[in-house]
Amino acid sequence: MNEDKKVPEHNNIPLTASEIGFLWVQYLNDTLATCVMSYFKNICEDKEILPLIENSLSIAQNDIHIIKEIFSKENHPIPVGFTEEDVNLNAPKLFSDGFILMYIQKLEVIAMASMSMAIGVSARSDVSDFFRNLLISVSELHDKARKVMLSKGVYIRPPQIPMPDKVDFVEKQGFLNDFLGHKRPLTAIEITHLFMGIQSNALGKAMMMAFAQVCKNEDVKQFFLEGKGIAKKHITKFSSLLINEDIPAPMGWDALVMESTVAPFSDKLMMFHTTSLIALGIGNYGAAAGTSQRMDLNTTYVRLAAEIASYAEDGAKIMIKHAWLEEPPKLVDRQALVKQQK
């Protein structure tokens, strides 16, 4: 777990755009996590899962403290993010303890990938050290969650394939394209991305189903219902690709959502959480397309990524309409400055 540490001196080296951007996003994510984990802490009954929630909450609170310190020293405005106004700690149980456990494990997987990228573009020691320590913290929390899931028998393992007995090299163009209507078997990496695509969409589908039950604004409700339908369609597509090769598809999360209609979170928080997951989904589809060497899979990922990109734009419009979209740090608009002088 991250420990409070004094931010080291950096000899007045200014923050880069990458450092500002990743710190800003991390601050918003940590304020969101503080709200979500505080609610989860109130509703969780499982004594094995509760320490994971407390660990996640502690990490987020410590991150907020460090980022505030860095931004304050740079005279950078502190983002608004999410506050006590965005969570109702007294709301009834909307998610089961099993959902909470799987949510923590999946979110730490996402966080580990983000931290690795942040470390790679951070030049200043204080920022690099912050993300490096955070990567250690989230990887340790992921490991704890994984072990609890294994002990409870709810960890969904990726599919297994027969162990190859020799090394082969590709000799025919059919490895990339259909040959007389025949598709070659999926590779281990292709199976992995299909499996991850099903799991990430299963998480999104369950969350949007829950959010649609409790949100207040009608346009937000319709957005979540549309997203649920898109996630269901993507799950069906990826599952069919696995099932056609006699590979079992992982189960969904719908049964882990309770029947409460009382909102534990503000519509603003639920919209931000959903659009953040959509952005990650677009990135995951891009990575899957880049590592899948069967052309039909590449085409599928590009088409599905375009669909959720359009959906993400609809979400951004709703957030702008309700004044919920906090603007990220950006360059000075030079043209606007020139016009002011006329």
Side-chain angles (χ1 to χ4, degrees):
M1 185 177 70
N2 256 351
E3 297 179 355
D4 270 352
K5 294 182 179 179
K6 182 180 179 181
V7 179
E9 295 298 327
H10 48 80
N11 298 321
N12 297 319
I13 300 172
L15 291 169
T16 65
S18 299
E19 292 163 345
I20 293 173
F22 273 103
L23 288 169
W24 185 88
V25 170
Q26 190 60 41
Y27 186 90
L28 264 64
N29 288 338
D30 282 320
T31 55
L32 180 145
T34 299
C35 294
V36 172
M37 291 302 158
S38 296
Y39 168 67
F40 284 171
K41 183 178 178 179
N42 270 19
I43 65 171
C44 182
E45 300 170 0
D46 192 306
K47 294 183 179 179
E48 289 185 275
I49 300 174
L50 190 56
L52 302 177
I53 298 171
E54 293 172 338
N55 191 173
S56 180
L57 183 58
S58 176
I59 291 171
Q61 291 171 337
N62 188 57
D63 288 351
I64 291 169
H65 170 76
I66 294 175
I67 296 172
K68 277 185 175 180
E69 188 175 351
I70 293 174
F71 276 164
S72 295
K73 288 188 174 182
E74 298 296 321
N75 294 319
H76 188 289
I78 306 298
V80 175
F82 301 93
T83 67
E84 295 177 354
E85 296 180 358
D86 294 299
V87 59
N88 176 10
L89 298 178
N90 298 317
K93 194 165 188 170
L94 181 59
F95 303 100
S96 71
D97 289 356
F99 180 97
I100 295 172
L101 174 59
M102 297 173 76
Y103 173 95
I104 291 173
Q105 190 262 341
K106 296 305 173 195
L107 266 291
E108 299 316 310
V109 171
I110 294 170
M112 286 189 289
S114 177
M115 294 310 99
S116 297
M117 186 178 297
I119 293 170
V121 296
S122 296
R124 243 173 60 170
S125 295
D126 57 337
V127 180
S128 179
D129 288 347
F130 166 71
F131 284 116
R132 180 173 52 81
N133 291 331
L134 183 52
L135 176 59
I136 294 171
S137 297
V138 298
S139 62
E140 288 176 348
L141 178 54
H142 169 265
D143 195 50
K144 293 173 185 176
R146 177 185 59 82
K147 289 176 179 176
V148 174
M149 291 175 70
L150 286 169
S151 71
K152 292 181 178 295
V154 297
Y155 187 89
I156 304 174
R157 297 175 183 270
Q160 293 182 321
I161 61 173
M163 194 67 66
D165 55 7
K166 60 185 178 67
V167 175
D168 284 327
F169 287 86
V170 177
E171 298 178 352
K172 298 179 180 179
Q173 296 296 325
F175 185 84
L176 304 177
N177 302 289
D178 294 356
F179 182 71
L180 298 179
H182 172 73
K183 295 183 176 68
R184 62 154 173 80
L186 295 167
T187 67
I189 294 298
E190 290 164 349
I191 292 170
T192 299
H193 281 294
L194 290 170
F195 173 82
M196 292 172 61
I198 294 170
Q199 285 211 308
S200 60
N201 276 286
L203 168 62
K205 180 172 178 282
M207 285 179 57
M208 284 184 278
M209 182 174 70
F211 291 167
Q213 283 180 200
V214 301
C215 67
K216 296 179 175 63
N217 292 278
E218 186 59 31
D219 55 350
V220 174
K221 183 185 295 290
Q222 292 305 315
F223 177 77
F224 290 144
L225 290 174
E226 181 185 354
K228 176 188 171 185
I230 292 173
K232 181 180 180 180
K233 184 174 73 172
H234 290 202
I235 290 169
T236 300
K237 178 60 179 178
F238 296 148
S239 296
S240 67
L241 288 165
L242 292 178
I243 292 170
N244 287 341
E245 306 233 9
D246 299 317
I247 299 172
M251 65 179 186
W253 296 31
D254 294 3
L256 303 180
V257 177
M258 314 301 279
E259 297 180 2
S260 172
T261 57
V262 179
F265 310 118
S266 66
D267 284 7
K268 170 189 171 183
L269 185 149
M270 292 187 287
M271 283 294 301
F272 177 84
H273 203 344
T274 301
T275 54
S276 295
L277 290 177
I278 293 168
L280 290 167
I282 295 171
N284 289 341
Y285 284 1
T291 55
S292 297
Q293 295 171 305
R294 234 173 65 174
M295 292 299 101
D296 64 311
L297 294 180
N298 285 340
T299 302
T300 295
Y301 284 123
V302 170
R303 176 172 57 82
L304 297 184
E307 181 178 22
I308 57 175
S310 176
Y311 177 63
E313 183 179 0
D314 292 341
K317 289 177 180 177
I318 291 173
M319 295 183 73
I320 292 171
K321 170 186 171 183
H322 292 284
W324 293 336
L325 187 60
E326 190 167 350
E327 189 171 300
K330 65 182 188 303
L331 280 171
V332 173
D333 188 338
R334 302 294 179 182
Q335 291 184 352
L337 291 177
V338 170
K339 289 180 181 179
Q340 288 178 9
Q341 300 304 315
K342 292 182 179 180

